[in-house]
Amino acid sequence: MLEPINVSLASLNLATLAPMLIAIVGALSILLIDMVKEGLHKSLYVMISLLFLLLDLGALVDFAGVFLKNGTVLGFFDVMLMDGIAILSQIIIVGGSMLFIPLALTSKRFHEYNYPEYFALFLFMIAGFQFMVATDNLILIFVGLETASLALYTLIALHNRSKSFEAAVKYFTMGALAAGFYAFGSMILYAISGSVEINQIATVLAEDHYSNIGYVLVSMAFMIAAFGFKLSMVPFHTWTPDVYEGSSAALAGYMSIVPKIAAFVVAMRLFEFLVHSGVVWLQVILYIGVVVTMTASNIWALVQSDVKRMLAYSSISHAGFVMAAILIGTTQANTGLFLYWALFSFTNLGAFTMLWVNRQKNLLPGQSSDHPYEKFSGMVKTMPMAAVMMALFMLSLAGIPPFGLFWGKMYMIGSAVSAGYTVLALIMALNSAIAGYYYLKLIVFMFMKEPMVGYEQFYFMNASLSLKTIIGIAAVGTIFAVFAVNPLLEVITLFVYNSGY
Amino acid sequence: MIDHILTLLIFFPALAAMLGFVVTKDSMRAYGITVAFIEFVLSLWLWYAYDPMVSGMQFMESMPLIPAFGINYLLGVDGISLFIIILSTFFTLIGIASLTETRRIKDLIITLLFLEMTMVGVFAALDAIVFYVFWELSLVPMLYIIGAWGGPLRIYASIKFFLYTFTGSLVMLVGMLFMAYFYYQATGQWSFSILEWYRLILPENFQLWLFVAFFLGFAIKVPMFPFHTWLPYAHGQAPTIGSVILAAILLKMGTYAFVRFSLPLFPDASVFFMFPIAIIAIIMIIYTAMVAYAQEDIKQVVAYSSVSHMGVIILGTFALNVEGVSGSVFLMLAHGVVSGALFLLVGVIYDRRHTKLMSEFGGLATVMPRYATIFGIMMMASVGLPLTINFVGEFLCLLGFYKQSHMLTLTAGVAIIVGAIYMLAAYKKMFFGTVTNEANKNLKDLSKTEYLGLIPLTIVAIWLGIYPKPVLEPINNSVESVIQLMHDKAQSPEAKARIPDLSGKNGIISIQEAH
């Protein structure tokens, strides 16, 4: 006869689940509404999603207050872990999602937005990412990761184009491989430490002075591969451009921001304690990975003929740049990671939204892809304001001051300098110079060439008031970023430092 | 208002540019001239209010921008930057006033006004990051001007210009971050303020590395041999207005930055690199003069002669004494006036004939006597005829460097004189002889619009050649405090010996005290 398990409800600290539960309840209520009355307009679902995300954000801000007062909050048999970086990354995840979901309010009709399930899946996915970052339990990370990824594959496929199916299947296959690697890596970690919690694994490993270093390295090899897929590190990046090209521009922009920050946080939890305990092999591999990812993807981006593919490679390069924070591992670097990503999400949001509003339903004869450079040729003559906006986002991505991303770049390079990674700092700087070329290419097309006949009908074809608002928000966030950097830095430093990173 | 004059000077043109979107196309030129004129008057007011006897920073403004990382919005002018700011506003005014471009004039004027913001910003900034922001931002309008209004190879030229400078300045950014980190290590606080960096005494080996990082950014901008290859393309393809601003102001950013950053921050490294840089400068003078002689295009001649004279500026800067540095700052102004004027003059003939090949011309002096006269004056100024503005600067530069090395100065001096050959040859080809080309027979002499730009420049070129004191004196005062600072900071005995000690002289307020 088993003893009855007595767990007081208070010890569970159910509040730690609140943010994810809000998203899940939101998703369920969308499904419920659809059951009661079918065929409702997408605007309703967008607004409902927004409201739930707002509640979610509110709960997170509340947690932020609790964290600053009492420190890390644990819950649910210590599986849930609401520390500073969990809260920060969730705020970026939810905030990013709130900016992206209104992109569904296009003026043209799109297949996927007719399904309420699209929005339900979207909210499930957010809950998945939130679980992923708010724990240091390898199993829950896995569950969160898979929940989110499965939802995301479906969202991509819903775009109903043959390229989207291809993208979804490609992403799914690669994702499954990554999941396998992840499971294998966790298994080895469990085998040598007897725990699935990262901080306990760290303690156990430190106690026996890394006597099992061989096994640790094998598991880390699997983990690097797994996160390499998720973060699209070279050489695990091959799916990225195809998947971005196949998904709608809105979703591609989303994929370049939100899933990556979730993966960064997990990578931070998993790799940094090893880097700090002087596992040289991991340092070397990360160093090589960071440099190769930055440089190679930049070079590939140079030769792209499609803007969306170029942005896909550029986002790989940005991920590599930020990955340097995990290698450097100081508080300043980790702060830089969050700062960079917060600023990046605004700029990239703007860039992808600009593609999204210029989306065309059918390709012109002779047009090979959705957004070839020629499409934007001479845009300053036909739509000056739009060209200026697009140029603004490109300049920001290239790291021209005083636009948003410059401050992130500066702080990241600064953290490399302070940590003694001089060569890395130089490589990061020179990579920004290489990247300058392909961002400039689009500006050259828009500002210095003559308009091409036929394309101007697509300019702002897809625009609606809410999309324009989003572009406006992104532009304001990009131009006036300099005033946001100081408060952001202070808050982020406080959170990161108090979480022990 | 005078307390915030620098902020006003920086952001007034930007604000005006934004409002300019509303102005209709036909009225845009008048609007541009008005704005540039107000800005110019404001900068004259700055000169009027400036106290020439104080050597330190004046009109300082400070506002925290990113205090968590030590970045402040910090502005100020001293004698070194004051006149370059006035030169920038002056040239924007002249550039817009004598604009003959007709294609998309509204975009062009808005771009020019934005460019004016960045130019004034660079010279007024006292925080390294604020400096960097304006420094980088100035690339964007220039990229657009070259790329949209330029010649057939304009896109190649504009991208080359952008990427070259961008690469160099990113390395410089790493250097700046290093400086801030050293400051952090020394004081426990982040700071990007140049004035606070001045107090930092770095070990010599760090100085050498940081000097190189900054040097790369500045040398590409100047441009120094062997980083000069972007400039002929940029000049060759840019429209007249682009070349004028590029030669007159943008190139000065590099030489100005040497005086503002490299010398006072790294005195030992400056002495260490003095002779290598002097040799590069002399190569610049001789080599580009030779290349200029081989050109068939008059604009390329002016472009290469402009690089050649930049070599003299560098030589003066690295004399590391008051004469040399004052002379180089003065020569920056002189070079701005003269080469800007020469590019305007080339633009005049290009507007009429749509060619810049010298072989197309000949005997223009009989057809366009007034044009030939002004061209002649400016050409004489360019080769450094006494009583013209360039002579003062070149003389002081050479005098300064003569104290460091007789041989090199002699070589440079001879090179400058020989360099006159290509200008005189070009002038001969274009203006003397008989009119051989039918198309040149009926060319009109200068128009009113063109006078508007050229007359003031001619006046300045002769006035400051005869009586440079009102400009030279404030420059001298500020340079003295820079040299004194360098002498005080220098550690190696060679540096102590090479950089003169001025503390015996009275009336010098060092930069820190003024701060």
Side-chain angles (χ1 to χ4, degrees):
Chain A
M1 180 78 187
L2 282 169
E3 285 283 312
I5 302 172
N6 268 321
V7 181
S8 76
L9 205 59
S11 76
L12 283 181
N13 206 352
L14 278 173
T16 50
L17 284 176
M20 302 81 179
L21 282 181
I22 291 172
I24 292 172
V25 168
L28 292 175
S29 49
I30 285 175
L31 293 178
L32 266 178
I33 291 170
D34 181 52
M35 264 168 60
V36 176
K37 184 157 173 29
E38 277 182 32
L40 291 168
H41 191 249
K42 63 185 177 187
S43 56
L44 168 80
Y45 297 116
V46 171
M47 287 308 145
I48 289 180
S49 314
L50 262 182
L51 282 177
F52 276 101
L53 288 175
L54 205 61
L55 286 176
D56 197 341
L57 198 64
L60 288 170
V61 172
D62 192 44
F63 260 110
V66 175
F67 174 75
L68 287 180
K69 216 171 6 176
N70 304 335
T72 304
V73 186
L74 293 169
F76 236 83
F77 310 106
D78 293 356
V79 168
M80 298 303 294
L81 171 77
M82 283 295 221
D83 60 355
I85 60 168
I87 294 169
L88 271 180
S89 53
Q90 286 188 71
I91 289 176
I92 295 181
I93 289 170
V94 175
S97 308
M98 281 174 70
L99 289 171
F100 272 99
I101 191 74
L103 296 187
L105 295 172
T106 51
S107 63
K108 297 275 165 249
R109 286 161 56 86
F110 283 96
H111 175 79
E112 63 259 47
Y113 302 135
N114 289 336
Y115 297 106
E117 288 85 356
Y118 184 89
F119 301 95
L121 279 170
F122 190 76
L123 289 175
F124 279 133
M125 173 175 67
I126 293 164
F129 287 131
Q130 285 187 285
F131 272 119
M132 193 172 150
V133 295
T135 176
D136 73 342
N137 185 307
L138 290 172
I139 296 175
L140 191 60
I141 291 174
F142 189 64
V143 172
L145 181 70
E146 285 310 292
T147 315
S149 302
L150 282 170
L152 188 53
Y153 306 143
T154 325
L155 291 182
I156 295 169
L158 274 173
H159 194 49
N160 204 24
R161 269 188 169 191
S162 57
K163 273 202 172 169
S164 308
F165 301 145
E166 181 201 323
V169 171
K170 201 164 199 165
Y171 197 10
F172 173 74
T173 328
M174 293 297 176
L177 200 59
F181 283 149
Y182 179 87
F184 218 84
S186 334
M187 180 197 81
I188 298 173
L189 281 181
Y190 178 68
I192 54 177
S193 66
S195 170
V196 287
E197 295 202 10
I198 295 174
N199 59 2
Q200 289 201 10
I201 296 175
T203 323
V204 172
L205 288 182
E207 268 168 8
D208 66 356
H209 303 291
Y210 288 89
S211 52
N212 285 323
I213 189 71
Y215 292 107
V216 175
L217 295 187
V218 172
S219 83
M220 279 305 124
F222 280 111
M223 285 303 191
I224 284 175
F227 285 97
F229 276 117
K230 288 295 162 194
L231 289 169
S232 57
M233 305 263 293
V234 177
F236 307 107
H237 69 285
T238 44
W239 56 273
T240 321
D242 295 334
V243 170
Y244 279 36
E245 199 189 354
S247 2
S248 67
L251 205 55
Y254 187 80
M255 273 191 288
S256 68
I257 312 259
V258 173
K260 289 208 172 136
I261 185 70
F264 276 131
V265 169
V266 180
M268 222 154 130
R269 294 188 195 283
L270 199 57
F271 295 137
E272 279 201 2
F273 79 89
L274 288 165
V275 172
H276 282 303
S277 27
V279 180
V280 179
W281 181 83
L282 188 65
Q283 282 173 5
V284 171
I285 289 291
L286 277 178
Y287 203 126
I288 295 171
V290 165
V291 171
V292 170
T293 304
M294 263 192 289
T295 318
S297 57
N298 264 340
I299 290 166
W300 282 315
L302 292 180
V303 296
Q304 298 305 315
S305 58
D306 183 88
V307 178
K308 212 194 214 175
R309 281 184 84 89
M310 179 272 277
L311 284 176
Y313 279 110
S314 104
S315 77
I316 299 175
S317 168
H318 285 285
F321 194 92
V322 167
M323 195 68 187
I326 288 166
L327 167 66
I328 299 165
T330 56
T331 304
Q332 197 192 357
N334 290 330
T335 308
L337 187 151
F338 286 105
L339 177 73
Y340 193 97
W341 220 248
L343 297 169
F344 181 59
S345 56
F346 269 97
T347 302
N348 225 25
L349 162 81
F352 276 98
T353 313
M354 283 304 297
L355 293 185
W356 187 223
V357 293
N358 295 326
R359 163 71 203 267
Q360 57 197 96
K361 285 249 168 178
N362 303 305
L363 299 186
L364 288 179
Q367 185 184 358
S368 56
S369 58
D370 268 339
H371 304 283
Y373 279 102
E374 290 77 28
K375 184 173 174 178
F376 299 92
S377 190
M379 201 176 183
V380 70
K381 288 178 187 152
T382 41
M383 298 214 79
M385 220 38 220
V388 170
M389 285 288 161
M390 191 76 178
L392 172 72
F393 297 131
M394 288 301 128
L395 290 177
S396 174
L397 285 173
I400 304 282
F403 305 120
L405 220 48
F406 165 72
W407 304 104
K409 275 200 170 148
M410 185 198 75
Y411 202 76
M412 280 297 295
I413 297 178
S415 71
V417 164
S418 322
Y421 284 91
T422 314
V423 178
L424 186 66
L426 274 175
I427 294 174
M428 285 157 91
L430 291 177
N431 261 298
S432 304
I434 302 176
Y437 179 78
Y438 53 80
Y439 296 124
L440 219 55
K441 197 167 156 192
L442 184 59
I443 295 180
V444 164
F445 268 92
M446 287 191 301
F447 282 79
M448 300 173 195
K449 300 211 167 180
E450 292 305 310
M452 302 263 280
V453 183
Y455 284 115
E456 66 277 3
Q457 50 175 316
F458 302 123
Y459 291 162
F460 270 63
M461 183 193 192
N462 211 1
S464 64
L465 187 63
S466 39
L467 263 70
K468 286 181 186 161
T469 314
I470 294 287
I471 294 176
I473 293 174
V476 169
T478 305
I479 298 173
F480 296 104
V482 55
F483 300 109
V485 172
N486 195 55
L488 273 176
L489 263 184
E490 278 174 358
V491 171
I492 295 173
T493 309
L494 198 63
F495 274 71
V496 170
Y497 184 75
N498 286 336
S499 323
Y501 285 91
Chain B
M1 197 156 121
I2 192 77
D3 294 336
H4 297 287
I5 177 104
L6 289 174
T7 302
L8 192 67
L9 270 173
I10 294 174
F11 291 105
F12 175 70
L15 189 73
M18 234 102 84
L19 296 179
F21 277 106
V22 185
V23 179
T24 56
K25 206 179 153 197
D26 307 327
S27 329
M28 198 60 202
R29 231 179 76 116
Y31 178 76
I33 294 174
T34 317
V35 172
F37 184 73
I38 298 174
E39 173 86 356
F40 178 56
V41 171
L42 283 174
S43 68
L44 287 182
W45 185 31
L46 175 74
W47 187 8
Y48 174 75
Y50 180 85
D51 181 355
M53 297 323 291
V54 178
S55 61
M57 292 296 165
Q58 301 184 32
F59 306 109
M60 293 216 13
E61 287 176 46
S62 177
M63 194 184 82
L65 210 56
I66 306 178
F69 201 44
I71 300 170
N72 296 298
Y73 174 75
L74 199 62
L75 305 176
V77 283
D78 62 357
I80 300 169
S81 51
L82 172 70
F83 295 104
I84 310 186
I85 291 178
I86 296 172
L87 189 73
S88 316
T89 60
F90 181 52
F91 259 98
T92 316
L93 175 62
I94 284 187
I96 297 179
S98 61
L99 204 59
T100 49
E101 187 67 60
T102 47
R103 289 169 294 162
R104 293 163 60 215
I105 184 135
K106 188 169 162 179
D107 299 16
L108 184 58
I109 288 177
I110 290 174
T111 315
L112 280 170
L113 291 176
F114 271 117
L115 187 60
E116 185 170 23
M117 167 190 85
T118 62
M119 292 188 302
V120 178
V122 164
F123 298 121
L126 288 182
D127 182 281
I129 294 295
V130 176
F131 172 87
Y132 184 82
V133 166
F134 288 117
W135 170 281
E136 289 284 72
L137 208 53
S138 71
L139 300 179
V140 180
M142 197 32 100
L143 169 90
Y144 185 36
I145 290 177
I146 299 177
W149 286 274
L153 271 176
R154 59 183 197 275
I155 290 175
Y156 174 78
S158 59
I159 290 186
K160 188 165 183 175
F161 156 75
F162 189 97
L163 287 183
Y164 248 84
T165 330
F166 191 42
T167 313
S169 31
L170 277 163
V171 177
M172 175 178 88
L173 177 67
V174 176
M176 285 177 175
L177 290 164
F178 253 106
M179 274 306 291
Y181 179 59
F182 284 136
Y183 189 86
Y184 175 74
Q185 279 190 320
T187 65
Q189 266 184 330
W190 291 100
S191 174
F192 283 89
S193 156
I194 302 174
L195 298 179
E196 280 171 13
W197 285 1
Y198 280 174
R199 298 180 196 166
L200 216 56
I201 296 179
L202 298 170
E204 198 178 340
N205 58 333
F206 282 138
Q207 279 194 31
L208 295 183
W209 283 109
L210 284 171
F211 185 91
V212 170
F214 280 82
F215 178 79
L216 211 61
F218 302 154
I220 291 177
K221 194 86 177 186
V222 171
M224 283 174 76
F225 177 86
F227 304 113
H228 68 284
T229 53
W230 62 267
L231 188 73
Y233 277 103
H235 272 316
Q237 301 303 321
T240 304
I241 177 74
S243 295
V244 170
I245 302 276
L246 187 62
I249 318 291
L250 291 192
L251 302 188
K252 304 303 172 301
M253 289 182 181
T255 46
Y256 164 80
F258 273 122
V259 180
R260 181 65 81 219
F261 285 87
S262 297
L263 299 192
L265 287 180
F266 319 118
D268 295 296
S270 300
V271 172
F272 183 86
F273 285 113
M274 177 177 196
F275 287 108
I277 290 178
I279 289 167
I280 294 180
I282 290 171
I283 293 177
M284 250 168 101
I285 299 171
I286 300 175
Y287 169 73
T288 47
M290 281 159 69
V291 177
Y293 190 56
Q295 297 302 311
E296 294 174 343
D297 181 328
I298 179 69
K299 202 172 181 188
Q300 295 288 4
V301 175
V302 177
Y304 278 106
S305 90
S306 149
V307 179
S308 181
H309 287 109
M310 293 305 277
V312 185
I313 298 181
I314 298 290
L315 195 69
T317 306
F318 280 88
L320 306 180
N321 49 30
V322 180
E323 295 81 7
V325 178
S326 298
S328 78
V329 175
F330 190 82
L331 190 54
M332 286 180 212
L333 305 172
H335 179 270
V337 171
V338 173
S339 65
L342 283 173
F343 277 115
L344 273 179
L345 287 161
V346 173
V348 166
I349 196 73
Y350 180 74
D351 283 339
R352 285 174 177 55
R353 286 291 318 280
H354 294 283
T355 176
K356 290 173 284 188
L357 290 178
M358 285 185 286
S359 54
E360 287 279 319
F361 304 112
L364 286 182
T366 49
V367 191
M368 305 168 73
R370 297 194 185 95
Y371 176 65
T373 312
I374 295 185
F375 205 115
I377 294 172
M378 283 305 169
M379 195 233 6
M380 288 303 170
S382 167
V383 298
L385 193 76
L387 293 187
T388 60
I389 187 166
N390 259 20
F391 174 73
V392 182
E394 285 187 4
F395 179 74
L396 283 173
C397 285
L398 292 181
L399 181 67
F401 209 81
Y402 189 74
K403 293 187 178 171
Q404 306 288 11
S405 161
H406 300 337
M407 264 324 285
L408 287 177
T409 315
L410 219 57
T411 322
V414 172
I416 292 171
I417 296 165
V418 175
I421 294 173
Y422 65 84
M423 282 308 271
L424 293 171
Y427 193 76
K428 189 189 106 193
K429 272 188 229 165
M430 278 183 72
F431 290 93
F432 295 147
T434 50
V435 184
T436 45
N437 195 330
E438 276 302 309
N440 294 333
K441 285 242 160 89
N442 294 317
L443 288 181
K444 283 203 182 74
D445 211 336
L446 294 173
S447 70
K448 263 189 202 148
T449 324
E450 287 154 353
Y451 275 129
L452 213 61
L454 293 170
I455 295 286
L457 287 171
T458 319
I459 294 174
V460 171
I462 295 177
W463 164 48
L464 287 181
I466 297 172
Y467 186 62
K469 191 165 172 258
V471 172
L472 206 48
E473 196 181 321
I475 293 179
N476 220 34
N477 282 340
S478 294
V479 167
E480 276 175 359
S481 71
V482 170
I483 299 292
Q484 183 59 40
L485 177 74
M486 285 177 73
H487 180 83
D488 294 344
K489 276 177 71 176
Q491 298 157 56
S492 69
E494 201 201 341
K496 280 275 186 213
R498 292 249 179 225
I499 305 169
D501 185 3
L502 308 168
S503 54
K505 290 177 74 177
N506 290 327
I508 296 168
I509 305 163
S510 78
I511 284 177
Q512 287 104 318
E513 284 167 43
H515 179 51

